[in-house]
Amino acid sequence: MRRHAWTIFSAGFILCWMVAPPALARQKVEEDKPPAGAIIQKTFITKCMACHGIGSSEGRAPTRETLMKLTPEAVYAALTTGPMGNQAKDLSDEEKRGMAAFLGGRPLGSTEAGDAKFMSNHCASNAPLGDPATSAGWNGWGNGVGNTRFQPANAAGISADQVPRLQLKWAFGFPNGVQNYGQPTVVSGRVFVASDTSYIYSLDAATGCVYWSYQAQTGVRTAVAVGPVKGQGSAKYAAYFGDGRANVYAVNAETGELLWMVQADDLPSAHITAAPTLYAGRLYVPVSGGEEAISIDPHYPCCRFRGSVVALDANTGKQIWKRYVIPEPAKPTKKNSVGTQLYGPAGAAVWGSPTVDVKRHAVYVGTGDAYTEPAAKTSDSIIAYDMDSGKLLWTFQDTRNDAWMLGCGPTNKAEPCPKDLGPDWDYAASPLLRELPNGRQVLVVAAKSGNVFGLDLDKKGAAIWKTALAEKKPGAAGLIVFGGSADERAAYYGLNLVGGMVALDLGTGERKWFTPLSPAETPGEPARLGQSAATTAIPGVVFSGAWDGRLRAFSAEDGHIVWEYNTVQEYPTVNGVAARGGSMGAPGPTISGGMLFVGTGYIGVMGGIPGNALLAFSVE
């Protein structure tokens, strides 16, 4: 299946299910067939861009950028009973709804349904939020700026011998939700979690009662980072996150009130898919893009997006520095056979949360493939930037000449396709920064190719070791996607295409163990193999969610399974919303204070099982 792991969220900055009914989203998409979001984007390009494109109609019609500021309800009204009714008369109602969700960035009717004030489980009171730094928690994507996804014993509150006794304590349902992208953050006894319907929720960790909700402009798939904020009235702590239109938000972590919002990149194809990293009053924001999802359309002026990292003042949102992965701006190159102006170079999105190296004052990010050829030398790379200035320190590239485009392949060599189509082997996972027993630090990085490296940070990222985990060439879906975890001795990765878990020695890269997995059966569903979701570790145990909907715990010593839970079922929920579990393909579980939290339901690129449940487990 030649599909990028994030293109369902691409180009239209919306999820596949926003523009197609869930039944369609659940089906496994055929080889080289674009996702529903790309189809709706193509409809807009071919039927609407003549009037609503940049510079079209001599300014008489609003541009796409202007339309994308409208709510989906307003767009739908314009297409049915409003001024665009005649122009849209040949579109089906399903297409109109899809167009409304595409431009509006969320499902029709999601505003009222998702608002916490309409839920039945309001918390009895809202006491002042405690300092996140003084209590156990899981803050942001990687539970620390090193992105190790490891929780020490005292903070976990769950020991290895207690894991087999984990039982479901409560479940929360996301209204109208279909996919769980937002990894739960746990601080000060509260859970902060984003939804695919654009809502952020603050819940009580022990009971699941709801404190507040905040609706972003479009769907949110990032984890939330919580930390101190100054100069914002009575607010002491802010919750930070990004959305599908590259907006970055700071809301009062106690009340959900908006403190500030800025746009990290103004290109329509830009979005934020990974959590910003908060450190010392600065927010390091990764910017990704989705032009590769629709660039094959000859009417689209491909491509101008460049991945970037943006440093913001966490108190105000003011930009401190911004560095593009591809330094030079895209320029006109040629016109294709239908007269569309093409541009380049482009691509190299930043898909994972930045890793901060306090000792060396550096920020590390992984980059994706190029959208145009020749591929940029910074695509499929690990890049180090100076924390204060954004100055480029060094780069490490694994796969060269990786120019890739959705829909291109052996059976489709359309005009826009790269002549030498690359494998789409992004560095999608966040780098893991770990200290070895001898005091030496190593940066462990893993690509979709299945190549894992240990990099020497005192030698500008030179490789200490390399381990190739792929037994045969992976496709664009990738072998290692959303990343691993690491304790003091090993790094742990789930393998997407073959199914299984592997442990690698941090110092040498030597394979310590490998546990193959066969997909569990779900009645009425095809077998789904593999683990693309991020793993999570506590002392002695590693957790991994899978496409088959099972959450498994493995012994860190030898890889045997010590606990397994089938999330593919219906749940009674604390907020009274009908909820069901499904596949797990992106965020991993988070563990804090004796509880484990995980979202279940993921369609992604493998035709996963949808779901809309947040589950909370404790030891019984």
Side-chain angles (χ1 to χ4, degrees):
M1 177 176 292
R2 305 196 64 80
R3 196 106 52 248
H4 196 288
W6 300 269
T7 48
I8 291 180
F9 194 80
S10 63
F13 330 116
I14 53 172
L15 306 176
C16 165
W17 58 268
M18 288 185 179
V19 294
L24 174 61
R26 293 181 64 166
Q27 298 173 3
K28 186 172 182 178
V29 188
E30 297 176 358
E31 179 83 8
D32 295 338
K33 183 178 180 181
I39 294 173
I40 293 296
Q41 169 102 351
K42 181 176 180 179
T43 301
F44 182 87
I45 291 170
T46 56
K47 296 187 177 182
C48 308
M49 283 285 281
C51 292
H52 296 290
I54 298 175
S56 300
S57 264
E58 299 178 353
R60 291 193 296 270
T63 64
R64 180 176 64 169
E65 290 74 14
T66 300
L67 295 177
M68 289 171 65
K69 297 178 181 179
L70 302 176
T71 66
E73 291 77 16
V75 175
Y76 182 69
L79 293 172
T80 51
T81 60
M84 296 303 295
N86 186 58
Q87 289 86 342
K89 66 181 187 303
D90 294 331
L91 296 178
S92 67
D93 187 65
E94 182 178 336
E95 289 175 314
K96 293 175 184 177
R97 289 178 175 274
M99 192 73 71
F102 160 61
L103 291 170
R106 56 177 175 79
L108 277 164
S110 62
T111 298
E112 183 169 316
D115 198 316
K117 68 183 180 183
F118 297 112
M119 294 181 178
S120 59
N121 66 323
H122 298 162
C123 296
S125 61
N126 188 359
L129 188 72
D131 186 351
T134 61
S135 60
W138 184 293
N139 202 344
W141 172 256
N143 194 34
V145 296
N147 281 324
T148 61
R149 301 189 57 81
F150 176 77
Q151 186 68 289
N154 60 341
I158 300 173
S159 62
D161 61 349
Q162 291 176 320
V163 169
R165 305 205 310 272
L166 284 171
Q167 293 187 17
L168 182 67
K169 185 174 184 180
W170 56 260
F172 179 89
F174 297 107
N176 291 335
V178 177
Q179 300 205 71
N180 274 281
Y181 281 129
Q183 179 177 277
T185 285
V186 190
V187 298
S188 304
R190 302 191 186 195
V191 176
F192 298 85
V193 62
S195 72
D196 54 355
T197 59
S198 74
Y199 272 100
I200 308 296
Y201 296 98
S202 174
L203 311 174
D204 181 80
T207 67
C209 71
V210 60
Y211 289 107
W212 53 257
S213 64
Y214 173 82
Q215 188 174 32
Q217 287 190 6
T218 186
V220 177
R221 61 177 296 163
T222 76
V224 179
V226 180
V229 67
K230 298 178 181 178
Q232 294 292 341
S234 62
K236 293 183 178 179
Y237 305 103
Y240 303 94
F241 54 91
D243 74 6
R245 288 183 176 154
N247 296 312
V248 185
Y249 301 79
V251 302
N252 187 327
E254 188 175 307
T255 66
E257 177 189 5
L258 179 66
L259 303 178
W260 56 257
M261 183 187 77
V262 298
Q263 193 168 38
D265 196 297
D266 60 3
L267 273 183
S269 59
H271 45 254
I272 297 170
T273 53
T277 300
L278 177 65
Y279 177 72
R282 289 188 179 182
L283 205 62
Y284 298 96
V285 182
V287 181
S288 61
E291 279 187 307
E292 64 184 350
I294 44 86
S295 54
I296 192 174
D297 190 290
H299 299 88
Y300 180 75
C302 174
C303 285
R304 291 175 293 165
F305 171 81
R306 298 177 289 157
S308 61
V309 180
V310 185
L312 302 177
D313 185 315
N315 296 315
T316 64
K318 181 181 178 180
Q319 180 174 303
I320 300 170
W321 55 259
K322 179 175 183 177
R323 294 295 177 266
Y324 287 99
V325 173
I326 302 176
E328 63 271 26
K331 299 178 181 179
T333 54
K334 63 179 180 179
K335 291 187 177 181
N336 63 18
S337 59
V338 299
T340 303
Q341 180 66 61
L342 304 180
Y343 299 83
V350 181
W351 297 106
S353 294
T355 297
V356 173
D357 184 343
V358 177
K359 178 180 178 181
R360 297 169 184 82
H361 241 57
V363 177
Y364 308 122
V365 296
T367 69
D369 60 85
Y371 304 164
T372 58
E373 53 185 355
K377 294 181 180 180
T378 47
S379 61
D380 292 355
S381 297
I382 301 297
I383 301 181
Y385 294 102
D386 179 81
M387 184 190 303
D388 292 328
S389 66
K391 177 184 176 182
L392 178 67
L393 300 177
W394 52 261
T395 64
F396 172 88
Q397 186 180 45
D398 182 21
T399 303
R400 300 179 180 180
N401 303 318
D402 186 7
W404 188 87
M405 189 180 294
L406 179 69
C408 298
T411 61
N412 187 355
K413 297 183 178 180
E415 182 183 12
C417 293
K419 294 180 180 178
D420 297 314
L421 187 68
D424 186 22
W425 285 350
D426 304 3
Y427 273 104
S430 297
L432 311 179
L433 179 60
R434 252 304 181 186
E435 184 171 304
L436 302 176
N438 61 7
R440 185 182 185 186
Q441 285 186 310
V442 62
L443 190 71
V444 182
V445 298
K448 287 170 61 182
S449 64
N451 291 338
V452 186
F453 293 87
L455 304 185
D456 189 334
L457 298 175
D458 294 322
K459 296 183 179 179
K460 295 186 176 181
I464 303 170
W465 53 261
K466 173 185 176 181
T467 302
L469 296 176
E471 295 183 358
K472 61 179 182 179
K473 182 178 179 179
L479 189 66
I480 299 174
V481 187
F482 286 96
S485 54
D487 57 22
E488 296 90 346
R489 301 181 303 164
Y492 307 93
Y493 290 98
L495 303 185
N496 185 35
L497 298 172
V498 300
M501 278 284 295
V502 65
L504 304 177
D505 185 273
L506 287 180
T508 66
E510 178 184 0
R511 187 181 305 198
K512 296 171 67 70
W513 52 258
F514 171 66
T515 301
L517 291 174
S518 298
E521 294 184 2
T522 299
E525 296 285 349
R528 292 176 170 88
L529 178 66
Q531 291 76 31
S532 68
T535 67
T536 298
I538 63 173
V541 179
V542 185
F543 294 86
S544 175
W547 284 101
D548 63 10
R550 271 59 175 179
L551 179 62
R552 299 177 176 92
F554 302 80
S555 165
E557 186 64 31
D558 59 16
H560 78 273
I561 297 175
V562 299
W563 177 76
E564 182 174 332
Y565 186 87
N566 179 13
T567 72
V568 187
Q569 54 183 292
E570 295 180 354
Y571 298 93
T573 62
V574 291
N575 61 331
V577 173
R580 181 175 175 81
S583 298
M584 286 174 280
T590 58
I591 302 169
S592 175
M595 296 189 70
L596 180 151
F597 304 90
V598 68
T600 169
Y602 190 78
I603 299 169
V605 301
M606 306 288 284
I609 306 169
N612 66 323
L614 172 67
L615 308 180
F617 296 86
S618 62
V619 176
E620 299 294 341

